[in-house]
């Protein structure tokens, strides 16, 4: 191992780098970490946030709001669960919920909006892209055929829900049911270099296949992208998936030809 390090440093010196700069470059990374990210939701005015991370609440300095807007935040205090709480993680129960309070000194987000909280250096090496939601429509035939080839499964339904023009398409795929296999759906990023998948295995039945009480239907309008970034490793995305009982929150990052889960949580929002 020591010989390898010496060889690498020698190679760096040939290229004009010093041992110090080589070590500094080796430490640089664009890998997102769950230790530097968490989620929060806004109050009814959109000027306060309730964060989920109670271990290191003071480290978060920015909120990432859809579609990829970075907003400075200030930590205020921990809020204890009130006896009047109804257990929901929404704006109606904001003052009674358990979590970490932050304020937005300038500007605001939409009421009840879910956001990603991040440390100052969480997105080092990342460029936030100009993502935009679009009127939901089908993906093109070429893309659908490419998806079927990769997954070796016929596509039943497909939708395009957003895009970064001329660079990335964001879509939802529902595959045909196959006897002996669980139902399958995917959140996909269609890029110039290939298609990236976040797969969901559903439950057998007709009432709660993908989410509780979904009637067996995959609804593309229930997905809201919070941000899309590009870095040396590829693409990263944060999104919220609405449900009847809870909203799922995810941050994913490209890992070669696939997407790895960086951080995941949920908001319990079931009707009273």
């Amino acid at each position: 191992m020591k010989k390898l390090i010496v060889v690498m440093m020698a190679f760096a010196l040939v290229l004009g780098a010093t041992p110090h700069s080589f070590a500094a470059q080796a430490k640089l990374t664009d890998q997102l970490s769950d230790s530097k990210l968490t989620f929060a939701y806004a109050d009814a005015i959109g000027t306060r946030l309730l964060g989920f991370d109670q271990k290191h609440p003071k480290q978060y300095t920015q909120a990432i709001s859809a579609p990829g807007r970075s907003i400075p935040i200030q930590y205020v205090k921990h809020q204890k669960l009130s006896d009047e709480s109804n257990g929901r993680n929404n704006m109606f129960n904001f003052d009674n919920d358990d979590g970490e309070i932050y304020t937005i000194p300038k500007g605001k987000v939409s009421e009840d909006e879910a956001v990603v909280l991040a440390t100052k250096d969480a997105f080092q090496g990342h460029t936030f892209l100009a993502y935009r939601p679009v009127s939901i429509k089908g993906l093109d035939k070429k893309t659908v055929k490419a998806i079927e080839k990769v997954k070796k499964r016929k596509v039943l339904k497909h939708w395009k829900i957003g895009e970064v023009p001329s660079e990335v398409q964001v879509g939802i795929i529902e595959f045909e049911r196959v006897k002996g296999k669980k139902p399958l759906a995917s959140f996909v990023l269609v890029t110039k270099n290939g298609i990236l998948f976040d797969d969901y295995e559903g439950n057998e039945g007709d009432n709660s296949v993908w989410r509780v009480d979904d009637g067996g239907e995959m609804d593309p309008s229930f997905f809201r992208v919070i941000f899309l970034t590009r870095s040396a490793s590829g693409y990263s995305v944060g999104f919220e998936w609405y449900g009847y009982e809870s909203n799922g929150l995810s941050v994913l990052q490209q890992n070669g030809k696939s997407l790895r889960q960086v951080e995941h949580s949920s908001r319990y929002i079931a009707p009273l």
Side-chain angles (χ1 to χ4, degrees):
M1 183 66 182
K2 290 182 178 179
K3 289 183 178 180
L4 178 60
I5 293 174
V6 171
V7 171
M8 291 175 70
M9 290 181 69
F11 181 69
L13 288 169
V14 170
L15 295 178
T18 65
H20 177 75
S21 65
F22 177 84
Q25 290 170 12
K27 292 180 182 179
L28 291 178
T29 176
D30 67 341
Q31 293 300 294
L32 297 180
S33 170
D34 60 354
S35 66
K36 296 182 178 182
L37 300 170
T38 189
F39 300 99
Y41 70 90
D43 64 7
I45 302 175
T47 57
R48 292 185 300 158
L49 303 170
L50 192 74
F52 297 174
D53 181 6
Q54 298 185 16
K55 291 183 178 180
H56 308 286
K58 296 181 181 179
Q59 70 173 341
Y60 302 104
T61 61
Q62 59 182 320
I64 311 301
S65 171
R69 183 173 56 131
S70 176
I71 305 171
I73 59 174
Q74 290 182 353
Y75 179 67
V76 179
K77 65 177 182 177
H78 171 72
Q79 177 172 278
K80 293 183 179 180
L81 186 69
S82 166
D83 292 337
E84 298 179 5
S85 174
N86 58 26
R88 274 55 177 176
N89 309 125
N90 60 26
M91 64 181 183
F92 304 109
N93 193 47
F94 187 97
D95 291 322
N96 299 314
D97 198 5
D98 181 46
E100 306 301 322
I101 298 290
Y102 300 83
T103 59
I104 301 174
K106 295 182 180 180
K108 62 180 182 178
V109 299
S110 298
E111 64 176 28
D112 202 39
E113 180 180 354
V115 300
V116 175
L117 300 188
T119 63
K120 183 179 180 180
D121 62 344
F123 287 94
Q124 180 177 297
H126 288 249
T127 298
F128 282 85
L129 302 177
Y131 172 83
R132 67 184 187 192
V134 298
S135 297
I136 295 173
K137 60 181 180 181
L139 294 164
D140 60 85
K141 292 182 179 179
K142 183 179 179 181
T143 298
V144 173
K145 287 183 178 180
I147 289 171
E148 291 179 334
K149 183 177 181 180
V150 171
K151 290 298 184 181
K152 296 180 173 57
R153 194 156 169 172
K154 287 289 185 181
V155 169
L156 176 65
K157 298 177 183 178
H158 54 92
W159 305 273
K160 177 180 175 181
I161 65 170
E163 66 181 6
V164 177
S166 303
E167 185 169 351
V168 183
Q169 296 181 75
V170 180
I172 307 298
I173 305 295
E174 183 178 353
F175 295 91
E176 287 188 351
R177 304 289 172 88
V178 177
K179 188 176 181 180
K181 293 184 178 182
K182 289 187 175 182
L184 179 65
S186 296
F187 174 96
V188 298
L189 298 183
V190 183
T191 78
K192 294 179 180 179
N193 297 318
I195 302 168
L196 306 173
F197 297 85
D198 184 34
D199 292 337
Y200 313 121
E201 282 193 340
N203 302 303
E204 297 290 349
D206 298 320
N207 189 47
S208 300
V209 177
W210 311 108
R211 306 297 301 273
V212 173
D213 294 333
D214 62 10
E217 295 292 327
M218 174 59 71
D219 191 333
S221 68
F222 284 4
F223 288 81
R224 182 182 68 93
V225 172
I226 301 174
F227 71 84
L228 250 173
T229 70
R230 185 200 319 111
S231 69
S233 295
Y235 295 97
S236 297
V237 60
F239 64 91
E240 183 173 21
W241 183 5
Y242 300 113
Y244 179 76
E245 256 192 12
S246 64
N247 294 354
L249 297 161
S250 297
V251 172
L252 309 173
Q253 181 169 24
Q254 184 173 350
N255 181 26
K257 295 182 179 180
S258 62
L259 289 167
R260 70 178 180 91
Q261 182 172 283
V262 178
E263 179 71 329
H264 177 76
S265 191
S266 64
R267 300 172 59 193
Y268 186 64
I269 47 85
L272 294 171

